Amino acid sequence: MTHSALLNIDVQRSFEQKDFWQQDDLPAFSQALIRLIDGCQTRDIPVIDVFHVNPDGVFSLDSGLVTPMAFLTHQPQHVVHKHVHNSLTESGLDAWLRERGITHLIIAGMRTEQCCETTARVASDLGYTVTFVTEATLTFPMTHASGVTLSAADIKLRTELVLADRFATIADVDGALAELDHAV
């Protein structure tokens, strides 16, 4: 795992403008993500900020909101823009990682079940080893067409269930950092 990188996916101000935005889980998420970023940077693991960009609306570059959320103060080693749910297929990130011999991706960011989970699945299919740090992901309750609402915790649990032992190793921040320490 010495050839690792942290993908910090879609932690951007655009989300704060959406009608589903909630602050409930933000304090725990921000603390976990900061610990993960700091831990990776202390270990010389590159941190890549990934931003979702759409042609219009709050995810457009013209909106001025495709910038890190206020709690983030790190300097990423690389920044990419994506236009699809996964971070790898059209952003140039896959080539950037391969040029540097990176074979292990640590995934964190927003939304757990969308861009984070999709990136984990695609990364696995592309041959990367993946560590999914659920503690350092954020999502929001969603209501199914049947009327059943899943809480953010339910969605995270479901994501862990479908990724574990197939697409990724599931870890908390301490576990992900310990994994890096044992790889040296």
Side-chain angles (χ1 to χ4, degrees), residues 98-132:
R98 292 187 190 281
E99 287 168 7
R100 285 153 184 80
I102 294 170
T103 58
H104 170 235
L105 300 179
I106 303 163
I107 295 181
M110 294 176 56
R111 293 183 61 180
T112 308
E113 77 292 349
Q114 289 184 23
C115 296
C116 294
E117 181 179 328
T118 304
T119 298
R121 288 171 179 266
V122 171
S124 175
D125 284 351
L126 292 174
Y128 292 96
T129 301
V130 178
T131 301
F132 194 89

Side-chain angles (χ1 to χ4, degrees), residues 7 26 54 75 83 98 106 108 112 118 121 126 134 147 167:
L7 303 186
L26 186 62
N54 286 339
Q75 291 299 314
H83 304 92
R98 292 187 190 281
I106 303 163
T112 308
T118 304
R121 288 171 179 266
L126 292 174
T134 314
F167 299 99

Side-chain angles (χ1 to χ4, degrees), residues 25-159:
D25 296 330
L26 186 62
F29 163 68
S30 60
Q31 289 173 0
L33 184 59
I34 290 168
R35 282 191 318 114
L36 183 60
I37 290 170
D38 289 349
C40 285
Q41 290 187 320
T42 298
R43 291 162 175 82
D44 293 321
I45 302 300
V47 176
I48 295 99
D49 282 357
V50 179
F51 295 105
H52 191 89
V53 176
N54 286 339
D56 301 307
V58 297
F59 286 89
S60 72
L61 293 175
D62 290 341
S63 73
L65 298 169
V66 181
T67 59
M69 288 189 167
F71 70 87
L72 291 174
T73 60
H74 69 284
Q75 291 299 314
Q77 282 69 31
H78 190 57
V79 175
V80 297
H81 291 165
K82 65 179 183 62
H83 304 92
V84 297
H85 290 101
N86 84 81
S87 302
L88 296 162
T89 59
E90 51 80 67
S91 64
L93 180 56
D94 183 44
W96 188 90
L97 295 166
R98 292 187 190 281
E99 287 168 7
R100 285 153 184 80
I102 294 170
T103 58
H104 170 235
L105 300 179
I106 303 163
I107 295 181
M110 294 176 56
R111 293 183 61 180
T112 308
E113 77 292 349
Q114 289 184 23
C115 296
C116 294
E117 181 179 328
T118 304
T119 298
R121 288 171 179 266
V122 171
S124 175
D125 284 351
L126 292 174
Y128 292 96
T129 301
V130 178
T131 301
F132 194 89
V133 187
T134 314
E135 177 185 21
T137 68
L138 181 69
T139 197
F140 309 96
M142 295 174 70
T143 302
H144 186 270
S146 69
V148 174
T149 298
L150 297 179
S151 69
D154 290 338
I155 293 168
K156 286 183 169 192
L157 187 65
R158 178 234 161 254
T159 295

